[in-house]
Amino acid sequence: MRGAMLVDVLVGSVIALLAIVLAARAFVATLGLQRSAAAGAEAEQAALFAAFAIGEAAASAGAGIVAAAPSLDSCPAATDIAQSLHPVSVLIADSGRSDQPDTLTVRRVLQARIAAPAAVADASAAGAPLSVRSPDGFAPGDRVIAIGRDGTCTSGTISTATARAGGITELGYSDAAYAMPATGIVLNLGPAAAASTLRLDVAAGSLRSTDLSNGDVPNPLVANVVNIKFQYGVDRNGDGTLDDWLAADVGSGMDAASVLAASSTTLARIVAIRVGVVARSESIDPQATSPFRWVLFDCALVASEACPGRIEGSIAAAPAGGYRYSTRELVIPLYNTLWNRPA
């Protein structure tokens, strides 16, 4: 028998090396696909979490406020929603550019003890406590709006709540600067420490919430959020059905200043909010080298540019590899507005 020749050994070595090279290439390709899939999943999760956080906050917009809207109509408007006593439930601040995030502010009553404003039992002089027809709807530390329905409105925090006979409670509160007629009402916004006015925005790649009612610092909610866009869903003819999606700009008449000054009748026409989110992955994918073109609020029209409210943009390419991106859209019905519409 003859042993292996040197040529046989060399040929075997070459075949083994080729097999190793092919296996390595397959491994590298599989690893690249795995990285791309993981980055895509990260972007999907960030977009989903951001949409959920926005939806949860915005769904409560108008709770307690819409029911008192006709009375709050008499309160003076303000340019700052945190200071406004007008019946504004949601406010969109448009960034003016498709590639810059918008801001959404929601207002709601966070009070479990009373579902509607309480009637004033007796007229009170400036600086005197208020008497309201509510046996247990108020407690010290609650933030209230006293509405005279004559243009006199004050907001303050209850210091004392003393029960009187006949289901009447006497309230001492921090801003009793005006006389209150017997025709007035008092709206309880809930504990003063609660976030009755909440702003949602994006900064440094994070979705944040800020309690404007207490002047708190922003609280990060979801990381890796690139852009958020909001639009109003408007019922133009008052039949309870959404008719149009409108951007919050001067051209639509729904810019922030106009909404803050609008009457309760106009505000009741805002029946939904449309949300678009653009999010990115946490990790960089070396294979993501192409620009990412995103579209929000698209429709089935052949000429998609004609879709109402359609927004598009592009994120520049990263030749050495970049993030994966994902979009998510959400429609939030404003149930408090729909359920408390004026007859």
Side-chain angles (χ1 to χ4, degrees):
M1 295 180 66
R2 183 172 63 87
M5 302 291 291
L6 180 58
V7 173
D8 297 329
V9 173
L10 291 175
V11 170
S13 299
V14 170
I15 292 174
L17 288 172
L18 287 174
I20 293 172
V21 169
L22 292 175
R25 289 173 62 90
F27 176 76
V28 170
T30 302
L31 184 61
L33 291 174
Q34 185 179 17
R35 286 177 175 174
S36 296
E42 290 170 359
E44 282 283 344
Q45 289 178 348
L48 180 62
F49 290 159
F52 174 80
I54 294 169
E56 186 179 36
S60 62
I65 292 175
V66 176
S71 298
L72 288 169
D73 238 355
S74 64
C75 297
T79 57
D80 182 0
I81 189 170
Q83 304 299 323
S84 176
L85 302 183
H86 227 47
V88 180
S89 299
V90 291
L91 181 69
I92 299 171
D94 188 85
S95 67
R97 292 174 49 178
S98 63
D99 61 343
Q100 295 294 322
D102 298 340
T103 299
L104 178 70
T105 304
V106 300
R107 297 176 73 200
R108 63 271 176 95
V109 168
L110 300 173
Q111 174 55 260
R113 291 191 299 270
I114 184 170
V120 171
D122 299 297
S124 61
L130 281 174
S131 295
V132 296
R133 299 186 184 279
S134 176
D136 59 358
F138 298 84
D142 286 350
R143 180 182 285 114
V144 299
I145 300 177
I147 309 165
R149 296 199 274 196
D150 58 357
T152 300
C153 300
T154 62
S155 176
T157 303
I158 295 176
S159 56
T160 59
T162 306
R164 302 298 187 197
I168 294 174
T169 301
E170 188 175 87
L171 306 177
Y173 70 111
S174 60
D175 189 359
Y178 299 97
M180 186 59 54
T183 55
I185 60 175
V186 179
L187 175 65
N188 191 346
L189 299 178
S196 57
T197 303
L198 188 70
R199 183 180 65 201
L200 298 166
D201 65 358
V202 170
S206 290
L207 174 67
R208 314 180 305 174
S209 66
T210 306
D211 177 6
L212 298 180
S213 47
N214 291 299
D216 291 356
V217 298
N219 177 45
L221 299 177
V222 183
N224 303 322
V225 178
V226 177
N227 200 355
I228 52 172
K229 306 302 289 184
F230 300 104
Q231 293 179 352
Y232 291 111
V234 177
D235 170 16
R236 288 192 178 277
N237 53 16
D239 64 354
T241 303
L242 191 150
D243 296 313
D244 287 316
W245 293 109
L246 299 179
D249 55 24
V250 175
S252 68
M254 300 295 288
D255 58 290
S258 297
V259 172
L260 283 170
S263 66
S264 61
T265 303
T266 299
L267 295 171
R269 299 291 176 89
I270 302 174
V271 296
I273 295 293
R274 183 158 66 168
V275 184
V277 178
V278 182
R280 67 167 177 82
S281 60
E282 175 72 21
S283 56
I284 290 178
D285 179 8
Q287 296 183 351
T289 57
S290 301
F292 177 75
R293 180 176 175 271
W294 55 266
V295 177
L296 297 174
F297 314 140
D298 210 353
C299 67
L301 293 177
V302 175
S304 59
E305 294 79 7
C307 293
R310 184 178 186 271
I311 304 174
E312 63 179 298
S314 181
I315 297 173
Y323 297 107
R324 291 288 178 181
Y325 296 90
S326 179
T327 60
R328 179 73 59 171
E329 296 180 21
L330 179 67
V331 173
I332 308 168
L334 300 180
Y335 289 115
N336 290 297
T337 298
L338 292 167
W339 293 340
N340 293 277
R341 296 173 66 87

